[in-house]
Each structure stands twice: as C-alpha cells, then as structure tokens.
Amino acid sequence: MLIELSVRNLAIFEDVRVEFSPGLNVVTGETGAGKSILVEAIRLALGEKADPFAVRTGEAEAEVSALFDLSGRQELKDAWEDAGLPWEDEVVLRRVLPAGGRGRAYINGRVVAQPVMAVLSPLLLMMVGQHSVTQLLSKTAALSAIDDFAGTAARSSEMRKRYRKVSVLRRQVEDAAARGAAAHGRAEALDFEIGELSDARLVPGEGEELAAFLHASRNEIKVREALLAADDALSSSESATVVSMSFALSRIKEAAALDPRVREIAQRLGSLREEVAEIAREIARMVGKTAEDPEAKERAEERLSLLRRLERKYGKDVSGLITHLADLERERESLEGAFEEETRLRKELRREEEEALGLAMELSATRKDAAAKIGAAVMEELEMVSMPGARFLAVVASRDHAAESLAESGFDEAEFFFSANQGQEPRPLASTASGGELSRVMLSLRNAASHGGGGRTLVFDEIDTGIGGNVAERVGARLKMLAAVSQVICVTHLPQVAAFADRHLQVLKRASGDTVATWVKSLTKQDRISELARMISGSEITAQAKAHAKAMIEKAERK
C-alpha cells in the first residue's frame, strides 16, 4: 500500500507531501492545479522515463519518493531476494532528477539500476491509463491478470522460481560438460603417460648401474685376458709364483731349523706366500665372474635406451620420473570429480525439469479454464460501467509441453481481445480501446479478478474520459468495490466518482507575483461537499450545488 508521496521541485510542485489511506483515494482539483503532476510524480518514483525539463525552474534537481507498506506482502520476498535487496516491511522508492544530467533511482537508500526498478515497481503499484497501454496490455500483464482471476498467482510465482532454478542448472550443466570435455581430453593424455611410465617399472639409481655395467662390458675381454695371465703366473702354471714361493719357503724353513738368524726371513716369506695365495684365489674368482654374456649386455643396452628416451621426453631423470608418475596419478584421480559433477548435475536438472513440467502443465490447464470464464466475468463488469455491447475475450496460447519450451510463465502466453460495440469482431485490446474505454476495461478486469493481486496499489488516470451522469456514478461504485480489496488512487474531474472516496485529496494552486504555490489538502466531509459543489457548478458555488453534492456523498455512502 502506498502510504506517502513526497515531491520536491517538480514542475510547479516546490515541496509537496501527500498521505494516502487504504480504500479509494480520490484526487481532484481545478484544471492546471497540478493533478497530472501528481500522477507524473508517481510514475517517476516507479522508475519511468523522466523529462529533465520537468525540474522546477531555477532548481538544480527534482526529487520524488514513495513510501510503501509491505507488511502484508510476504509473497514479494523472493522478488526482493532475487534483486539482491534485503526484505523490509516498509520500502521507499526514491528518484533524483538533475536538471541537466542523468537521474538516479534508490530503493531504501540503495542505488538500483533501471531494470531492477522495472521488475519490482509493478509489484507495488499499477498505473491504469492511456499512458500505460504498453505495460497494461503486454502478454505478461494479461497472463498475470488471468492468474489473479484463477487464483494461481502463488503457483505462477513458484513456476518462476522453478524455471530460474532450471535455468541455473542448465548453465551449470553446460559449464560442467565443457569442463568434462576438457577433462576427457586430459584424461586420455594422462592415461597414456601413466601407462608409459608404469610399464617402465622405474627403479631409483637403475640408470647409473646400467651405465656402469655396460662400461665394464666394453673392456671385458682385455680384463679377462689380463686376469687369466695373472692367474697363470701366480698359481696355474708349473712355474707359478705360489709354487715357487712354496718351494722356497720349505727350503728356508730347513735353514731356519739349523740357523736361528734365518727364522725371521722364514716368517716373512710365509706371510708373503699367504698374501700371494689369497690374491691368486681372488683373481681366480674374478676370472669366473667375467665370463661373457652377450644377452645380458643386450638387455642392459635396451633398458638403458628406454630410460634415456623417457628422460629426454619428460625432461627428468629417473627419480624425477617416479615423482612425476605419482603427480600424474593424483591428477587423473581428481578428474573423476569432474565426470561425477556433470553426472550429478544432469540428474538434478532432469529432476527439476520434470517438476517444472508438471507444474507448467497444471498451470496451463487451469489458466485455459480461467480464460474461458474471465471473459464472461469482465463483460458483466463492463455492463455495470455502461458498456453493455462490449465483448471481451482472453486467449491463452501454449507452446509444446517439452522441457525446451519452458519459460518463467511455464508454457503459456495470454492476450486480451476487445470490441466496444455489438457486431464488431474482438481485436487486440491494445489496438482497439480508447483511453477512457481502456480505463473502464481495466477497472472491470481488476474487479473480475479482485480475489487475486489484492496487495497492489492501482492508480486510475483518465477513467472518466468521455463519461458522465449515470455512467460516472457506476464507475465510481465499481472503483469503490475494487478498493475493498486493493488500494485505489483515482484522479477525476467528475463529482459522481469523487463522491465514493474514502479519502478525498484536493490539489490547490495559488499564484503570487512570479511564483506559484501548490499543495495537496486532505478534505473533511464539509470540505468534500464544497469541492463536489465546485465540480458541479464551477467557480460560483450555489446552495443548490452544495445540496446536490451532499446528496451525492450520502448516496455513495449507502452503496
């Protein structure tokens, strides 16, 4: 509900503050007093396009703010959260319009972009008049009215949430699929490298051992010949050193038995003989180990070639290759998470799409049934505002019931068709109805759907265009009826409409020299009688006009 509108330096409004109440708020005033400026101020607060020339002459900027009570509008919380704004029971829409620059919009003191205002402000207030044709008669607005009539507004809101969730999941699946595709390519490369390194069965230090083995193998023949010659000289031939030393030792021992001086020599020779014998045995063992093995040499050469190739390919030695293999295996394991994420998201997306499809089909069936009924309900309302020959049709068209066809509205689009006179085929309402007719059609539509969308404020401008007398009285009565479920603000020049006001506001203007003072006054009952009398008889208010005005108010109160 709109509680208060504050206007500063807009056109002839210097500093005007207007309080509104629940029910029917009627705005009247003499021509040129500023009623249209009041309506324009509401439009600006909602974020509509501003005219920089609207700033009061001599002022740097204009400012408009609208205070709304949302304590009974908990269904709007999701929209506020989607816009990234904290939910509060009161909200102030504020617009600042510099005389020579770009305007700024605020919601509860936070700067917001125009697209955010365009989404949120229609949830708070609907302008009904010739200047609002585009918004009022859009397919989105038509579907919203049908939802109000059908009582499916809550399910429609749920549909929007579900579709947004499906949209988010679709983007997540696309991203995960892209990551998965990249992961598949990387996994193939990793699998090849891991297989190559694992098959090599790498052992730390193996390259150095193989290199040393092959270096020794290249000198093996010469080494063997030298060892054999040494073995022959030391122990294998008849004149071998060990044999000669054994003979010499036996003779020295004979001498030592006869001459004590020779004993030391015998001991020394015995030690040398044992040392030479041990060396001879070691050489014999080495000769046995140096037997030629061409196959072993070939295997070593092939193995070392493999290791050198892998070292060149990966730029690491064998120890580095072993570490690299462990890193590759860890990376390959981590890629499994990417594959699992895509699978999980696809399952979640299918589940959400199925639930959204079910809700969309349910909504579509309910809306089509409601569309068939709302036409008759609106035509009944049109008769009450003296449009008995008018025809009104609501058409709900659905896309294929497939996941690809889902949108925020489900599968559906809606459009209204209208003809003002009998014998004329209904045509799209936007291209058919005049300003006054449109206001009465929208009044009839809102009354027909009055059990839904009741929290939103409705502002009617030009609803009394081209009507008067009994028709105007009927329009006033229907406005009063609508105001029982929605706050209504109506700008009118007809006393028959103003008579039904719960709160009557008069726009007043007074010129003094080069300045104009404008203000808005909330009227008492006696003030209302005087204002209606002025509206009836003009500037010269007669007793008869006052009596007529009083009778009109009392009659309206009885209805």
Side-chain angles (χ1 to χ4, degrees):
M1 183 180 75
L2 178 60
I3 299 174
E4 184 178 88
L5 180 71
S6 298
V7 187
R8 185 173 60 83
N9 296 330
L10 181 68
I12 61 173
F13 280 26
E14 182 178 7
D15 190 359
V16 174
R17 190 178 301 270
V18 186
E19 293 183 358
F20 297 93
S21 66
L24 178 58
N25 297 262
V26 167
V27 180
T28 64
E30 294 183 357
T31 302
K35 299 187 297 297
S36 61
I37 299 173
L38 197 64
V39 174
E40 181 66 14
I42 295 174
R43 293 184 192 279
L44 293 175
L46 298 180
E48 294 192 16
K49 187 175 180 180
D51 181 356
F53 294 106
V55 177
R56 184 178 173 87
T57 302
E59 300 294 340
E61 63 182 23
E63 181 177 325
V64 177
S65 63
L67 171 63
F68 288 86
D69 176 11
L70 302 186
S71 57
R73 302 293 307 280
Q74 302 301 309
E75 74 277 8
L76 301 184
K77 273 188 176 181
D78 289 337
W80 251 247
E81 289 175 2
D82 290 343
L85 296 171
W87 174 256
E88 298 180 51
D89 286 343
E90 286 191 349
V91 62
V92 177
L93 306 185
R94 186 165 70 95
R95 189 83 175 277
V96 178
L97 309 169
R102 190 174 181 180
R104 303 181 301 278
Y106 302 83
I107 294 182
N108 280 359
R110 297 189 179 206
V111 177
V112 293
Q114 196 281 331
V116 175
M117 292 291 285
V119 170
L120 298 183
S121 61
L123 302 176
L124 306 178
L125 186 146
M126 176 191 289
M127 304 292 296
V128 182
Q130 193 169 6
H131 299 293
S132 309
V133 170
T134 302
Q135 300 94 316
L136 289 174
L137 304 181
S138 67
K139 292 182 178 181
T140 300
L143 196 61
S144 177
I146 290 173
D147 280 332
D148 286 343
F149 179 81
T152 54
R155 279 181 288 169
S156 180
S157 176
E158 177 67 19
M159 182 71 245
R160 285 192 292 274
K161 287 193 289 185
R162 288 196 176 278
Y163 176 74
R164 285 195 289 269
K165 189 170 185 180
V166 166
S167 297
V168 169
L169 282 170
R170 284 174 176 172
R171 289 193 294 272
Q172 290 176 342
V173 167
E174 287 179 6
D175 293 343
R179 290 193 297 272
H184 276 294
R186 180 61 179 155
E188 289 179 0
L190 288 173
D191 288 342
F192 177 81
E193 293 181 3
I194 289 170
E196 184 177 48
L197 294 175
S198 297
D199 291 345
R201 300 182 182 280
L202 302 169
V203 177
E206 184 182 13
E208 290 78 3
E209 291 180 7
L210 289 170
F213 171 75
L214 290 172
H215 178 74
S217 296
R218 294 186 189 98
N219 299 310
E220 191 170 338
I221 294 175
K222 292 181 179 180
V223 172
R224 182 177 175 79
E225 288 176 351
L227 289 174
L228 284 171
D231 179 63
D232 185 62
L234 289 174
S235 61
S236 298
S237 66
E238 292 181 358
S239 59
T241 300
V242 174
V243 174
S244 297
M245 290 182 74
S246 295
F247 176 76
L249 180 61
S250 66
R251 299 301 295 171
I252 288 294
K253 283 182 177 181
E254 290 177 3
L258 300 172
D259 187 349
R261 292 174 301 172
V262 182
R263 290 177 185 172
E264 183 183 353
I265 295 173
Q267 290 173 348
R268 289 166 60 191
L269 183 59
S271 298
L272 288 172
R273 189 263 176 197
E274 288 300 324
E275 179 73 17
V276 171
E278 179 59 32
I279 290 172
R281 288 191 293 273
E282 183 66 24
I283 289 173
R285 285 194 294 271
M286 292 182 70
V287 168
K289 289 180 179 179
T290 56
E292 261 193 276
D293 186 354
E295 291 183 358
K297 182 180 177 182
E298 182 179 356
R299 288 193 301 272
E301 287 176 340
E302 290 177 353
R303 178 66 175 171
L304 186 60
S305 175
L306 170 65
L307 294 180
R308 294 292 182 254
R309 181 178 65 80
L310 292 174
E311 287 176 340
R312 287 193 301 274
K313 178 178 179 179
Y314 293 98
K316 305 176 188 295
D317 60 16
V318 172
S319 296
L321 290 173
I322 293 171
T323 302
H324 184 56
L325 173 60
D327 292 340
L328 294 177
E329 288 173 336
R330 281 192 293 272
E331 183 182 355
R332 180 64 178 84
E333 185 178 354
S334 71
L335 292 180
E336 292 299 323
F339 305 142
E340 292 171 3
E341 181 191 23
E342 182 182 353
T343 301
R344 177 185 63 78
L345 286 171
R346 287 192 182 279
K347 287 182 180 178
E348 187 176 354
L349 175 59
R350 282 195 296 272
R351 183 175 65 253
E352 289 296 331
E353 282 182 338
E354 287 173 2
E355 292 182 3
L357 283 168
L359 179 57
M361 286 188 282
E362 177 189 332
L363 266 174
S364 188
T366 305
R367 285 165 171 168
K368 287 179 179 178
D369 181 59
K373 297 174 181 176
I374 195 172
V378 170
M379 284 191 286
E380 286 183 15
E381 288 289 331
L382 288 171
E383 284 191 20
M384 296 181 188
V385 291
S386 298
M387 297 181 72
R391 293 180 62 194
F392 182 90
L393 297 176
V395 176
V396 173
S398 299
R399 296 177 292 277
D400 291 338
H401 289 187
E404 297 76 19
S405 301
L406 280 171
E408 283 197 349
S409 62
F411 299 124
D412 304 326
E413 288 184 344
E415 189 171 8
F416 294 140
F417 294 81
F418 174 76
S419 67
N421 303 300
Q422 288 182 340
Q424 292 180 335
E425 281 299 312
R427 295 167 56 194
L429 180 58
S431 61
T432 304
S434 65
E437 288 173 339
L438 177 62
S439 293
R440 280 186 280 168
V441 170
M442 294 309 297
L443 171 60
S444 299
L445 176 62
R446 296 319 310 175
N447 264 318
S450 59
H451 55 279
R456 188 165 42 181
T457 297
L458 301 168
V459 178
F460 286 88
D461 186 25
E462 301 178 321
I463 195 168
D464 51 14
T465 301
I467 64 172
N470 186 49
V471 176
E473 185 178 335
R474 290 187 176 191
V475 168
R478 302 316 291 170
L479 284 168
K480 181 77 170 182
M481 179 179 178
L482 179 59
V485 292
S486 295
Q487 183 189 40
V488 175
I489 299 170
C490 177
V491 179
T492 183
H493 66 275
L494 295 178
Q496 295 92 332
V497 174
F500 286 89
D502 293 304
R503 185 181 186 86
H504 192 153
L505 302 166
Q506 183 182 12
V507 182
L508 298 162
K509 180 178 72 172
R510 181 175 61 243
S512 177
D514 295 334
T515 62
V516 176
T518 304
W519 69 100
V520 178
K521 179 182 179 182
S522 179
L523 302 185
T524 64
K525 185 171 182 179
Q526 194 59 45
D527 291 335
R528 291 183 64 205
I529 292 172
S530 297
E531 173 63 0
L532 262 66
R534 181 199 63 78
M535 297 169 75
I536 293 169
S537 63
S539 58
E540 186 176 343
I541 300 175
T542 64
Q544 184 180 2
K546 283 190 173 184
H548 188 190
K550 182 180 179 185
M552 290 176 68
I553 293 173
E554 291 174 348
K555 182 180 179 182
E557 289 174 346
R558 291 195 297 270
K559 287 193 173 183

